[in-house]
Amino acid sequence: MDPNPIRTAINVCDHLIKKQVYAVVVSHPPVGDLSPAAVSYTSGFYHIPVIGISSRDSVFSDKNIHVSFLRTVPPYSHQADVWVEILKHFHYQKVIFLHSSDTDGRSVLGRFQTNAQNLEDDIEIKVEAVVELEPGAENYVDKLSEIRNAQARVYLLYARSNHSFSSVDCISVVRKCWLYLCSGC
């Protein structure tokens, strides 16, 4: 796959569609996050199924756009299911949610909020504060200091690898005996 999504789409047309393939298996290249999406868009137009063997981005869950995309791994947002189960097991009822300002971050937050308010369970988990982290920021001290006086002692963090948390950022919030659940891609 080419890191350029337009070249990738042209390659799909030139090399795959002309040969009348029945399915395409795609993985994430080392660079070029949009290449699997280009394969999915182009193949979907021709009703060719695409099997993603490492694509965990939430965008591939949108069946209006990726009509024939199948996964072999769950999207990142499913990590929220595990967090909810851990919190319910230990009877934690209030959390602070920090997430990256992107589709996956908002998807993880949405899934967490939906699962945390499941009416079938006795325990309802409330989100005391939500902090959206912009990628490429120099530091997050200002954002993190907003939640320093919160009552919740459980922090859930979902962040992309392009977020750089320094020790200075963490010192502004970190306290003993608090629970931190962190995840990311």
Side-chain angles (χ1 to χ4, degrees):
M1 260 191 293
D2 195 294
N4 183 323
I6 294 172
R7 284 193 210 118
T8 299
I10 291 170
N11 287 336
V12 168
C13 291
D14 289 346
H15 300 293
L16 299 178
I17 294 172
K18 287 181 181 178
K19 295 184 182 183
Q20 298 180 339
V21 298
Y22 294 104
V24 176
V25 178
V26 68
S27 179
H28 266 90
V31 293
D33 287 342
L34 297 176
S35 294
V39 171
S40 178
Y41 290 143
T42 308
S43 300
F45 181 77
Y46 294 99
H47 304 289
I48 299 171
V50 177
I51 302 168
I53 60 172
S54 65
S55 301
R56 298 190 66 200
D57 298 326
S58 296
V59 70
F60 292 108
S61 297
D62 186 346
K63 293 302 174 193
N64 293 320
I65 298 171
H66 300 280
V67 292
S68 60
F69 189 86
L70 307 167
R71 302 178 187 267
T72 58
V73 293
Y76 291 116
S77 60
H78 285 213
Q79 294 174 59
D81 301 349
V82 176
W83 287 349
V84 169
E85 291 302 317
I86 290 171
L87 296 171
K88 287 183 178 180
H89 177 79
F90 290 107
H91 300 283
Y92 288 113
Q93 296 178 358
K94 195 178 281 192
V95 300
I96 293 174
F97 201 101
L98 301 100
H99 69 89
S100 56
S101 178
D102 60 9
T103 304
D104 284 316
R106 287 185 285 278
S107 180
V108 172
L109 172 63
R111 188 168 180 111
F112 177 82
Q113 288 174 323
T114 299
N115 290 344
Q117 296 173 357
N118 187 346
L119 298 176
E120 296 174 5
D121 296 331
D122 295 338
I123 300 170
E124 184 177 334
I125 302 167
K126 296 191 186 311
V127 178
E128 182 177 353
V130 175
V131 178
E132 196 166 305
L133 305 168
E134 298 294 330
E138 290 295 318
N139 67 54
Y140 297 99
V141 174
D142 293 337
K143 284 270 190 186
L144 297 176
S145 63
E146 295 172 11
I147 57 174
R148 186 165 194 187
N149 296 323
Q151 291 180 351
R153 297 298 177 249
V154 176
Y155 284 69
L156 303 176
L157 170 65
Y158 174 84
R160 305 278 266 158
S161 60
N162 59 354
H163 286 89
S164 57
F165 292 99
S166 70
S167 58
V168 174
D169 294 343
C170 294
I171 288 171
S172 69
V173 176
V174 173
R175 309 248 181 170
K176 291 182 181 179
C177 301
W178 287 8
L179 175 65
Y180 298 88
L181 297 177
C182 304
S183 182
C185 55

